[in-house]
């Protein structure tokens, strides 16, 4: 884990860190994970997906049953802009790559 000391003298981590990786393969889903963020927040219940050359991390969602009986998910975490979502994805995928690289 990387640490830095800011102007205030407070120590904080740099970048996202993968915690609690649980492999689970179904369709595009490859694993469930928790992400530790530099803010000190931990997001539990994230999902890691892969399809061909595309990879993405899904944010936690709440499962619900639709009127037709099928299952849907509503996000618990949302992004206010497309740019914020893109930055999250970049940092989350980088954390996954570091985690998987360390497992080899």
């Amino acid at each position: 884990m990387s640490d830095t000391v800011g102007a205030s003298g407070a120590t904080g981590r740099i970048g996202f860190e993968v915690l609690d990786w649980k492999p689970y393969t179904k369709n595009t889903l490859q694993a469930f994970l928790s992400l530790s963020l530099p803010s000190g927040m931990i997001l539990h219940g994230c999902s890691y997906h892969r399809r061909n050359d595309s990879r993405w991390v899904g944010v936690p969602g709440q499962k619900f049953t639709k009127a037709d009986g099928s299952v849907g998910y509503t996000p618990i975490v949302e992004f206010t802009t497309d740019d914020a979502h893109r930055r999250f994805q970049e940092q989350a995928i980088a954390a996954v790559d570091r985690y998987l690289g360390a497992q080899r």
Side-chain angles (χ1 to χ4, degrees), residues 14-89:
I14 300 174
F16 289 19
E17 182 181 357
V18 170
L19 307 173
D20 197 29
W21 179 271
K22 295 178 183 170
Y24 186 92
T25 304
K26 182 177 181 183
N27 301 319
T28 64
L29 179 61
Q30 303 297 303
F32 290 104
L33 63 139
S34 297
L35 283 172
S36 177
L37 309 184
S39 65
M41 179 170 58
I42 296 176
L43 288 177
H44 297 287
C46 296
S47 54
Y48 172 64
H49 298 263
R50 176 181 289 170
R51 179 187 302 135
N52 302 322
D53 291 334
S54 296
R55 300 182 302 148
W56 65 96
V57 172
V59 295
Q62 184 170 353
K63 187 177 180 178
F64 67 94
T65 304
K66 298 179 184 179
D68 66 3
S70 64
V71 173
Y73 293 87
T74 187
I76 294 172
V77 176
E78 290 187 76
F79 300 94
T80 56
T81 65
D82 289 342
D83 187 55
H85 183 251
R86 178 192 54 76
R87 286 181 284 126
F88 173 84
Q89 288 297 320

